[in-house]
């Protein structure tokens, strides 16, 4: 079982948190902080597994993480999961994000956390791995997005226009700033078929 | 109608959506909380509107705020509203919010049952999918019960997308509503063969999770899984199945044989590391369950293990180690290499492995390697871990692997020089344990402990906050208890009564005082044999009478009580001595009797006193009639004794009996299998004492100028060599006397017996134990008091003190590392007498005080405060040198612009500070004063006065003493360890300004020179290569000071860099001064 999936940036700011067990909001924040603390002090070239923090079950659980440019992707899992399997899963997740957002960067995650949740929901459900095939995941996500668009239909048009205008006015949104390019450099890992 | 919708959406488009919220938060970095609270107010307004789109937007924003840690449970009902929207877009928002913040105690959840059921049966597969995803996060037992049937139907849905979600969620349903498992299981099993790989994978996932909880029930599925394993190409599924097999094989060994082949095929064919690793893991599990067929496979496995990431490889090895230690032991070198790994988790795993790998043969070697790692370890946690591991490894199974206890003691002594360790008490308890239980080692141990005591300042001075001083507790006790082995009890006694001892934690002082008395007894006995030396005995009494009042003043009650008790005793003895009465025997009798280790089974052997019925009530339980049993109530003493044993005895005996029997069996088996195990022999013990007698140990050649090193420490290496030689000799002997093998065996065994007392628990008789305790407790039943005691710890005091120690350590953490300020005239020789060693400075010009010349003498220590960059703590030791009582001391310093004495609130800037004690004649005590310092770049001198009242029998006079405090720049430096890479980075950064210094005619060896700089100027050596060394220190305000010291032909050049040139210049001047005086 996966106990939690956390994404935070190099400063520990949460970009996505998904807990498959219930914790109070305060505990969740503490867990994120603790995990960040554990993970961020590790060198780049050390292994990607470590014992979980005290708050999330200590040595019963393992933290498996990958660090991409500005973001940490951390999965907290119990002993039933395969460490390297989860590591591959993180890779699949990031590659899927990359496909869905077209060159994903930290800003995408910041502004579209809801979409990230939707993508994640197609991969992991209630702490169990639902799908590991990237194409299948993308197909489902696209189909749902299409539905969303068709529902918005004519009524959605003005809202989209306004949102586009808003984005134009603000200097931080344009992609060319490219604050945090996740930059996937590990293409040789799609070991799930 | 359409117009209305468009109008609504135009209204809405100026509402804040999620992106606007995020952007807003990013633009309000300073007042984020305030901004968010206004946003929440807006959201509350939006939630009140009828428009579902507005509500959905609000809920979407709430989901984001929930991630930031805001409680949004107040909006639970609105979330349910959004969930029930007919539009997929909103429904998805609603379910996402629900999955993030609903849990079992959310009460609106029961309102959702029907809505979810409706969604589950929706014609739109994505409505169903979203509902399933949401439900998987917040399913409750009620929901599970109500919806189990609906979900079960979905498991046979036409769309694979729904099927796989339905299959997966069943696991959650089983967890919440176990009754559903039985009816659902056949269908679940069916899904293992579903045509869609996604559904298959989901089914495998669920069954694997179920099987993990109870593998037995799923053995019947093994053939099915076996088929899947050979046919499936989905790595995730394969991993899951292989993991499942790993759990199943211990239950069904036949399965293992079948598995080996396909697994080996997979190992060779797969390119996915994850799959490879799981295969290897399972193969290991299989091999463990099969006892035969090991050798051929293990080789190939270990090759693949090495290619796998280290961490997991080590994990796997630890599994093999449990059953096949030999195959892992051959990888010792590999594992030792892992200790050098950058990754701490790998190093820790490797340590775990080492623990299981030691044998008598390689213990010394492994520990030697570990000691090297301790030296260069980064970070105290890892170093502490190493330390505990070393001790664990050595002490495991009752010191089974230690063949030479002198070596072990010297290892322990070496460990005491670790700075910043929390495990002082651990080392201490080991020292006590070994010294008590291994009789043959006592003489050696005592000699070592005496050196430790003599150099106590090295332990306490620099590391007071971290509890290494706990070893002094052990050292003092060992020296006292086994004082007959001491070569020079008098000097040890002197060392134990130094004024600096008063700064140690109370419980250690208490032990000091008590053992000082024991030493006193020894000294008396030693001296009175020779009447010519009677004066020495009297001087010793005088020494005690002089020094003990310091302890009588102690704030710690225990110390105070022991000290005053012993003081009176000594005074009485002194009187007798003056009358030329022989007292040695009587005094020795005070501490007569040997303390023996207590066997765990001792308790059981204590006879139950006659007439004591342990099962009888002392007082009848109130529910029963009171008159009934009154006659049987035991009376008087028996009541007490019985009460004691009642709650301790039964548990104690039972557990230990079993445990002991088990241990004995294990040991016997071990002995039978171990060709190196030979029974006791005193003869080879002799070999030892000839070879490594106390005189061979360089205890005498203490180089006091080298700080932080406990003398005699490089010895453990010698033992390794000696041990090797001895073994070789043994081997040669063995070859020669092949015939007499048996006899030799006997001899060796006898040595063991002598050398390692604890091995033979038989010679520890319970009778002793009863003897020991009778002092404190009446009758035989007393030992039951020891129930909490760890049977392996013969010295229960130490465990009692643990709590105290921890508390003390905490307190001490608040203090900072001690820094010593040295005044030049004390630098002349580092090996000078102790009080100077402690870095004390006689305050300048203790002006002769009018009529009572120099009635007070004081010394001070200036220490930087690590926690506060602007604070310096000055400890001053006041000693009353006159014959009168001194009281009402007031300490005052004229503040300069830069340095100010910190006075309590409300005190004026010129008020003095009252010294919180009074001084009887001849007594000294320490007080601390805090100064705040603004700039630390310049050395400074502060003028101050000490006023006090000298009280004689009939009059009292006010006195005044002027002094100067000299704050050198060195005293602002704090010894901080630095690692070479960090050091290199620092130098590269280019922030540092350089300066250099040349010293001519320095004749001392290079390491002395370094030691001197370390000691006097608080540097630490980063790296040393030949006659060149880099050193580092840090000021209390965080300035880095780097030195590069080179030496050639009596010329020393120091290149220095610091981010504060002024500070650097002054430090260099001070270093120069230090060396100009030697």
């Amino acid at each position: 079982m996966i106990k939690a999936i956390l994404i935070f940036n190099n400063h520990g700011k949460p970009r996505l948190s998904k807990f498959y067990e219930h914790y109070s909001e305060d505990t969740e924040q503490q867990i994120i902080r603790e995990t960040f603390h554990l993970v961020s002090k590790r060198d780049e070239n050390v292994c990607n597994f470590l014992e979980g923090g005290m708050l999330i079950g200590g040595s019963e659980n393992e933290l498996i993480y990958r660090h991409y440019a500005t973001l940490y992707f951390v999965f907290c899992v119990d002993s039933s999961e395969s460490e390297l399997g989860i590591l591959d899963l993180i890779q699949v997740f990031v590659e899927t994000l990359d496909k869905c957002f077209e060159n994903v960067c930290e800003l995408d995650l910041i502004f579209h956390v809801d979409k990230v949740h939707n993508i994640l929901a197609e991969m992991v459900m209630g702490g169990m791995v639902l799908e590991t095939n990237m194409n299948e995941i993308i197909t489902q996500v696209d189909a749902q997005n299409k539905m969303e668009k068709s529902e918005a239909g004519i009524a959605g048009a003005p809202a989209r226009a306004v949102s586009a205008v808003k984005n134009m006015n603000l200097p931080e949104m344009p992609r060319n700033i490219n604050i945090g390019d996740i930059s996937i450099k590990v293409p040789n890992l799609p070991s799930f078929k | 109608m359409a117009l209305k919708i468009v109008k609504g959406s135009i209204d809405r488009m100026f509402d804040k959506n999620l992106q606007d919220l995020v952007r807003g938060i990013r633009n309000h970095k300073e007042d984020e909380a305030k901004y968010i609270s206004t946003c929440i107010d807006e959201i509350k307004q939006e939630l009140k509107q009828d428009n579902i789109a507005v509500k959905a937007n609000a809920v979407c924003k709430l989901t984001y705020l929930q991630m930031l840690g805001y409680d949004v449970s107040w909006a639970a009902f609105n979330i349910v509203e959004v969930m029930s929207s007919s539009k997929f877009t909103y429904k998805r928002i609603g379910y996402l919010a629900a999955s993030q913040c609903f849990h079992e105690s959310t009460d609106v959840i029961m309102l959702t049952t029907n809505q979810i059921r409706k969604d589950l049966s929706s014609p739109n597969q994505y409505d169903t999918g979203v509902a399933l995803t949401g439900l998987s996060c917040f399913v409750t037992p009620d929901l599970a019960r109500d919806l189990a049937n609906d979900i079960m139907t979905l498991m046979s849905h036409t769309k694979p997308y729904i099927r796989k979600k339905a299959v997966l969620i069943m696991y959650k349903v089983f967890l919440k509503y176990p009754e559903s498992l039985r009816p659902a299981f056949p269908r679940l099993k069916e899904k293992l063969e579903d045509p869609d790989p996604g559904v298959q994978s989901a089914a495998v996932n669920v069954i694997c999770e179920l099987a993990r909880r109870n593998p037995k029930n799923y053995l019947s599925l093994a053939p099915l899984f076996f088929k899947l394993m050979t046919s499936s190409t989905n790595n995730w599924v394969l991993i899951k199945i292989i993991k499942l097999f790993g759990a199943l094989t211990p239950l069904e060994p036949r399965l293992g044989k079948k598995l080996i082949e396909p697994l080996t095929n997979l190992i060779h064919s797969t390119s996915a590391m994850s799959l490879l690793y799981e295969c290897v893991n399972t193969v290991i599990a299989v091999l463990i369950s099969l006892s035969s067929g090991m050798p051929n496979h293990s080789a190939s496995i270990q090759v693949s293990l090495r290619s796998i990431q280290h961490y997991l490889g080590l994990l796997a090895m630890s599994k093999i180690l449990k059953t096949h230690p030999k195959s892992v032991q051959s990888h010792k070198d590999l594992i030792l290499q892992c200790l050098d790994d950058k990754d701490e988790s790998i190093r820790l795993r490797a340590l775990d492995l080492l623990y299981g790998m030691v044998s008598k043969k390689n213990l010394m070697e492994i520990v030697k390697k570990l000691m090297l790692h301790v030296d260069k370890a980064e970070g105290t946690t890892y170093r502490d871990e190493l330390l505990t591991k070393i001790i664990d490894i050595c002490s495991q199974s009752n010191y089974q692997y230690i063949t030479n206890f002198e070596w072990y003691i010297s290892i322990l002594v070496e460990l005491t020089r670790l700075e910043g360790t929390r495990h002082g008490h651990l080392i201490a308890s080991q020292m006590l344990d070994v010294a008590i239980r291994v009789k043959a080692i006592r003489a050696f141990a005592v000699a070592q402990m005496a050196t430790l005591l003599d150099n106590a300042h090295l332990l306490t001075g620099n590391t007071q906050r971290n509890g290494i001083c706990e070893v002094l507790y052990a050292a003092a006790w060992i020296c006292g208890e086994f004082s007959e082995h001491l070569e020079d009890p008098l000097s040890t006694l002197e060392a134990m009564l130094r004024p600096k001892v008063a700064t140690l934690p109370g419980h250690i002082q208490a032990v000091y005082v008590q053992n000082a008395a024991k030493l006193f007894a020894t000294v008396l006995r030693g001296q009175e044999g020779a009447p010519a030396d009677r004066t020495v005995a009297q001087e010793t009494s005088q020494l005690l009478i002089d020094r003990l009042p310091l302890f009588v003043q102690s704030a710690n009650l225990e110390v105070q009580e022991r000290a005053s008790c012993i003081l009176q005793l000594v005074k009485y003895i002194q009187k007798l001595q003056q009358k030329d009465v022989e007292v040695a025997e009587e005094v020795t009798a005070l501490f007569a009797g040997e303390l023996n280790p207590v066997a765990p089974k001792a308790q059981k052997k204590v006879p139950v006193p006659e007439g004591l019925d342990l099962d009888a009530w002392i007082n009848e339980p109130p529910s029963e009639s009171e008159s009934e049993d009154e006659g049987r109530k035991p009376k008087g003493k028996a009541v007490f004794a019985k009460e004691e044993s009642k709650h301790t005895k039964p548990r104690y005996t039972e557990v230990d009996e079993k445990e002991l029997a088990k241990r004995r069996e294990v040991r016997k088996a071990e002995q039978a299998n171990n060709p190196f195990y030979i029974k006791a022999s005193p003869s080879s013990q002799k070999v030892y004492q000839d070879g490594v007698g106390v005189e061979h140990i360089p205890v005498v050649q203490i180089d006091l100028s080298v700080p932080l090193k406990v003398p005699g420490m490089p010895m453990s290496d010698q033992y390794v060599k000696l041990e090797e030689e001895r073994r070789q000799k043994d081997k040669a002997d063995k070859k020669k006397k092949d015939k007499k093998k048996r006899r030799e065996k006997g001899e060796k065994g006898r040595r063991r017996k002598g050398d390692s007392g604890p091995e033979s628990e038989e010679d520890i008789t319970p009778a002793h134990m009863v003897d020991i305790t009778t002092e404190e407790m009446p009758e035989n039943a007393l030992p039951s008091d020891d129930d909490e005691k760890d049977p392996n710890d013969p010295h229960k005091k130490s465990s009692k003190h643990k709590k105290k120690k921890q508390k003390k350590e905490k307190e001490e953490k608040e203090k900072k590392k001690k820094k010593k300020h040295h005044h030049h005239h004390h630098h002349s020789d580092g090996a000078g007498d102790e009080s100077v060693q402690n870095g004390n400075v006689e305050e300048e010009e203790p002006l002769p005080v009018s009529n009572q010349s120099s009635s007070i003498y004081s010394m001070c220590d200036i220490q930087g405060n690590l926690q506060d960059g602007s604070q310096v703590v000055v400890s001053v030791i006041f000693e009353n040198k006159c014959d009168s009582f001194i009281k009402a001391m007031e300490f005052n310093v004229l503040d300069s612009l830069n340095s100010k004495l910190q006075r309590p609130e409300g005190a004026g800037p010129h008020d003095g500070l009252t010294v919180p004690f009074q001084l009887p004649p001849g007594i000294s005590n320490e007080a601390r004063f805090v100064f705040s310092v603004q700039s630390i770049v310049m050395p400074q001198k502060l003028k101050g006065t000490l006023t006090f009242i000298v009280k004689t029998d009939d009059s009292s006079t006010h006195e005044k003493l002027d002094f100067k405090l000299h704050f050198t720049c060195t005293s602002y430096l704090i010894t901080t360890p630095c690692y070479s890479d960090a050091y290199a980075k620092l130098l590269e950064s280019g922030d540092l300004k350089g300066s250099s210094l040349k010293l001519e005619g320095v004749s001392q060896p290079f390491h002395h020179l370094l030691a001197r700089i370390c000691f006097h100027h608080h540097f630490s050596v980063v790296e040393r290569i030949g006659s060149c060394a880099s050193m580092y220190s840090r000021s209390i305000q965080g300035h880095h000071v780097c030195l590069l010291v080179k030496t050639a032909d009596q010329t020393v050049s120091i290149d220095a860099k610091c981010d504060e040139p002024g500070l650097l210049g002054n430090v260099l001047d001070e270093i120069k001064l230090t060396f100009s005086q030697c």
Side-chain angles (χ1 to χ4, degrees), chain B residues 941-1042:
Chain B
K941 281 183 185 166
L942 293 182
K943 278 188 186 167
T945 45
L946 182 74
T947 56
F948 50 92
I949 298 173
V950 179
K951 200 171 179 233
T952 52
D953 288 340
D954 42 0
S955 68
S956 60
T957 42
H958 267 277
E959 299 288 349
K960 190 178 140 205
L961 184 70
D962 291 323
F963 59 86
K964 275 184 192 164
L965 277 176
H966 190 166
F967 289 26
T968 55
C969 279
T970 294
S971 52
Y972 303 125
L973 296 183
I974 292 172
T975 318
T976 318
C978 180
Y979 305 106
S980 43
D981 34 354
Y983 188 77
K985 262 184 214 157
L986 194 64
L987 287 181
E988 276 165 18
S989 69
D991 302 337
L992 309 184
K993 315 243 170 4
S995 174
S996 66
L997 172 72
K998 211 157 219 169
L999 300 167
E1000 305 276 354
V1002 179
S1003 55
Q1004 45 188 260
F1006 190 51
H1007 69 273
H1008 280 208
L1009 184 115
L1010 292 184
R1012 182 157 291 203
I1013 297 176
C1014 286
F1015 185 62
H1016 295 316
H1017 298 284
H1018 313 134
F1019 278 86
S1020 62
V1021 178
V1022 179
E1023 216 171 1
R1024 183 187 158 187
I1025 303 158
S1027 61
C1028 181
S1030 47
M1031 309 181 85
Y1032 175 79
S1033 185
R1034 229 174 70 119
S1035 77
I1036 51 173
Q1037 294 182 354
H1039 303 297
H1040 305 284
V1041 188
C1042 306

Side-chain angles (χ1 to χ4, degrees), chain B residues 662-920:
Chain B
K662 213 161 112 196
R663 254 193 243 164
R664 199 175 299 128
E665 244 180 61
V666 171
R667 196 175 61 236
K668 272 183 190 155
E670 220 269 343
Q671 288 168 5
N673 295 334
N674 188 350
F676 292 94
Y677 186 87
I678 306 159
K679 280 223 165 170
S681 122
S683 73
S684 36
Q685 181 192 339
K686 246 182 244 159
V687 171
Y688 263 144
Q689 285 177 344
D690 294 347
V692 213
V694 181
E695 60 277 357
H696 286 251
I697 295 149
V699 177
V700 209
Q701 311 157 5
I702 304 160
D703 183 1
L704 282 179
S705 66
V706 184
L708 289 182
K709 275 200 181 165
V710 176
M713 57 124 291
M715 276 182 322
S716 63
D717 289 353
Q718 296 175 0
Y719 284 105
V720 178
K721 271 183 213 151
L722 280 168
E723 184 71 10
E724 268 166 23
E725 279 166 22
R726 184 181 68 85
R727 281 182 188 156
Q728 260 166 9
K729 210 172 125 197
D730 279 3
K731 242 187 209 168
D733 284 357
K734 234 184 228 172
K735 270 183 195 164
K736 258 191 236 166
K737 303 176 185 175
D738 224 353
K739 281 181 206 162
K740 297 176 187 172
K741 207 174 181 180
R742 183 169 286 201
R743 213 194 62 186
E744 201 194 45
K745 223 177 190 181
E747 277 177 9
K748 232 188 166 183
R750 254 176 285 151
R751 174 197 65 75
R752 267 206 72 81
K753 198 170 181 180
D755 219 1
S756 56
E759 289 276 290
S760 45
E761 276 167 45
E762 279 71 21
D763 55 24
I764 307 160
T765 59
H768 285 138
M769 178 203 176
V770 178
D771 268 341
I772 298 163
T773 39
T774 35
E775 296 177 10
E776 302 159 41
M777 299 276 213
E779 301 299 288
N780 282 340
L782 301 167
S784 58
D785 197 31
D786 293 355
D787 59 338
E788 285 180 341
K789 186 187 60 139
D790 174 2
N792 290 327
D793 182 1
H795 192 253
K796 56 183 181 184
K797 264 186 196 162
S798 64
S799 64
K800 272 190 198 162
H801 278 293
K802 266 181 194 159
K803 270 180 205 162
K804 258 194 211 166
K805 281 177 203 165
Q806 278 160 0
K807 204 171 152 195
K808 202 78 194 173
E809 273 167 26
K810 238 185 242 165
E811 284 167 20
E812 268 160 8
K813 263 182 208 153
E814 279 148 34
K815 297 176 189 170
K816 61 294 102 183
K817 217 177 198 175
K818 256 205 170 174
K819 297 216 57 199
K820 289 162 188 167
H821 166 82
H822 297 269
H823 212 52
H824 45 83
H825 52 268
H826 289 296
H827 284 194
S828 50
D829 190 355
D833 81 341
E834 303 326 301
S835 57
V836 174
Q837 260 293 304
N838 284 340
N840 300 321
V841 180
E842 190 178 335
E843 279 169 10
E844 280 195 8
E845 307 146 55
L847 298 176
V849 184
S850 49
N851 47 11
Q852 251 153 347
S853 64
S854 80
S855 55
I856 203 160
Y857 167 86
S858 50
M859 310 196 282
C860 77
D861 234 17
I862 300 180
Q863 319 165 341
N865 188 335
L866 252 190
Q867 277 165 357
D868 188 338
S870 60
Q871 279 192 1
V872 169
V873 177
V874 177
S875 324
V876 185
I877 296 178
F878 299 95
E879 188 179 354
N880 184 353
K881 295 220 143 185
C882 66
D883 305 326
S884 321
F885 201 83
I886 291 182
K887 60 178 202 175
M889 287 189 280
E890 248 189 31
F891 180 90
N892 198 4
V893 171
L894 262 181
D895 291 344
S896 71
L897 274 179
N898 193 23
S899 317
K900 291 187 170 61
L901 176 63
Q902 291 208 341
R903 298 174 168 88
E905 258 178 69
H910 303 294
D911 293 354
L913 284 182
T914 315
V915 179
F917 47 77
Q918 306 179 338
L919 288 177

Side-chain angles (χ1 to χ4, degrees), chain B residues 599-627:
Chain B
K601 62 186 169 191
Q603 167 66 37
K604 184 180 59 175
K605 298 267 176 106
V606 178
V608 180
E610 229 173 286
L612 173 66
D613 181 2
L614 290 176
D615 299 322
W617 288 98
I618 298 172
N619 294 306
E620 281 303 319
S623 59
E624 283 172 45
S625 102
E626 283 213 304
S627 61

Side-chain angles (χ1 to χ4, degrees), chain B residues 25-79:
Chain B
I25 293 175
R26 284 163 71 84
N27 288 338
H28 289 79
K29 287 222 165 77
E30 288 80 38
D31 51 347
E32 197 181 290
K34 204 177 137 203
Y35 178 77
I36 290 178
S37 75
T38 59
C39 286
I40 290 181
D41 289 342
E42 275 172 34
I43 290 170
K44 281 182 180 163
Q45 287 306 315
E46 286 169 21
L47 288 174
K48 280 181 192 152
Q49 293 186 34
D50 280 338
N51 191 332
I52 190 73
V54 177
K55 273 188 188 165
N57 185 39
V59 166
C60 185
K61 287 189 278 185
L62 282 179
T63 314
Y64 182 79
L65 293 178
Q66 194 271 344
M67 181 182 82
L68 297 185
Y70 291 85
D71 179 19
V72 298
S73 53
W74 49 269
F77 185 75
N78 303 101
I79 293 174

Side-chain angles (χ1 to χ4, degrees), chain A residues 38-135:
Chain A
L38 284 172
V39 166
S40 63
K41 69 177 180 197
R42 294 169 67 83
D43 273 349
E44 274 302 300
N45 51 358
V46 302
C47 77
N48 304 48
F49 321 112
L50 68 158
E51 256 178 29
M54 290 315 293
L55 292 169
I56 199 156
S59 55
E60 279 170 33
N61 291 331
E62 249 181 312
L63 296 179
I64 296 164
Y65 73 97
R66 271 180 188 266
H67 187 198
Y68 294 95
T70 57
L71 290 177
Y72 285 97
F73 288 72
V74 187
F75 280 47
C76 178
V77 303
D78 67 13
S79 62
S80 75
E81 300 294 342
S82 150
E83 293 92 345
L84 291 168
I86 293 290
L87 208 56
D88 286 349
L89 189 71
I90 298 179
Q91 180 70 16
V92 170
F93 182 34
V94 175
E95 284 184 38
T96 313
L97 288 178
D98 195 48
K99 287 250 168 69
C100 293
F101 286 108
E102 288 158 25
N103 266 327
V104 66
C105 67
E106 191 182 341
L107 281 175
D108 291 318
L109 272 70
I110 296 172
F111 286 100
H112 301 286
V113 66
D114 49 342
K115 286 183 185 158
V116 181
H117 268 296
N118 294 337
I119 295 168
L120 186 61
E122 294 303 319
M123 284 182 69
V124 179
M125 193 176 119
M128 316 258 288
V129 177
L130 177 69
E131 185 59 68
T132 54
N133 183 333
M134 191 168 38
N135 294 331

